[in-house]
Amino acid sequence: MNIKSVKLRDIAKVIRSKNAGPFEITFDIIFRTKDDYEKVKASGVLNKRLIASLYNLDPQNILTFVFYDAANAVKITIPRMRPQGSIGEVDMHGAQQYVPLFDIDIPIDL
């Protein structure tokens, strides 16, 4: 068995973030195939600890982290750094927050 690493952006069909109310941002990671989804899930790389480190959070503050088998997807919800529309808030729709997820290395068995 030979193991290589791929970037999450290269194996996921969709990686997006969006507004989930004035105090939360949610992320969706959707995979092209069940096989890709299962490989990523089995790798254990995507977890609360990793997301917390990417977004400078305590893992306990991650509101939702769910592998959703029926959709070959992962759903993550985190608190916003600042309330939506408040002074200093820079992404009203939460649509630009997904970028740190792109470069996550996923080990894949060949």
Side-chain angles (χ1 to χ4, degrees), residues 20 23-29 45-67 74-81 101 104:
F23 305 106
E24 299 172 359
I25 292 176
T26 194
F27 301 88
D28 299 309
I29 305 168
V45 170
L46 282 180
N47 58 55
K48 283 185 172 186
R49 194 173 59 254
L50 173 65
I51 300 304
S53 71
L54 290 174
Y55 292 94
N56 198 27
L57 297 169
D58 184 314
Q60 294 177 341
N61 291 339
I62 294 176
L63 305 170
T64 304
F65 187 97
V66 177
F67 285 97
V74 182
K75 180 73 145 186
I76 304 159
T77 305
I78 65 172
R80 287 177 169 272
M81 297 306 246
L101 301 175
I104 296 172

Side-chain angles (χ1 to χ4, degrees), residues 82-90:
R82 299 175 189 263
Q84 182 183 24
S86 68
I87 295 173
E89 192 267 336
V90 296

Side-chain angles (χ1 to χ4, degrees), residues 1-60:
M1 181 178 353
N2 195 6
I3 297 178
K4 73 172 198 164
S5 179
V6 298
K7 299 292 184 187
L8 184 61
R9 68 175 174 255
D10 295 327
I11 196 169
K13 178 179 179 182
V14 174
I15 302 174
R16 66 183 176 207
S17 59
K18 57 188 173 183
N19 180 38
F23 305 106
E24 299 172 359
I25 292 176
T26 194
F27 301 88
D28 299 309
I29 305 168
I30 305 169
F31 296 90
R32 289 180 181 88
T33 67
K34 185 76 166 171
D35 186 53
D36 287 346
Y37 166 75
E38 292 295 340
K39 285 179 181 177
V40 172
K41 183 178 176 182
S43 78
V45 170
L46 282 180
N47 58 55
K48 283 185 172 186
R49 194 173 59 254
L50 173 65
I51 300 304
S53 71
L54 290 174
Y55 292 94
N56 198 27
L57 297 169
D58 184 314
Q60 294 177 341

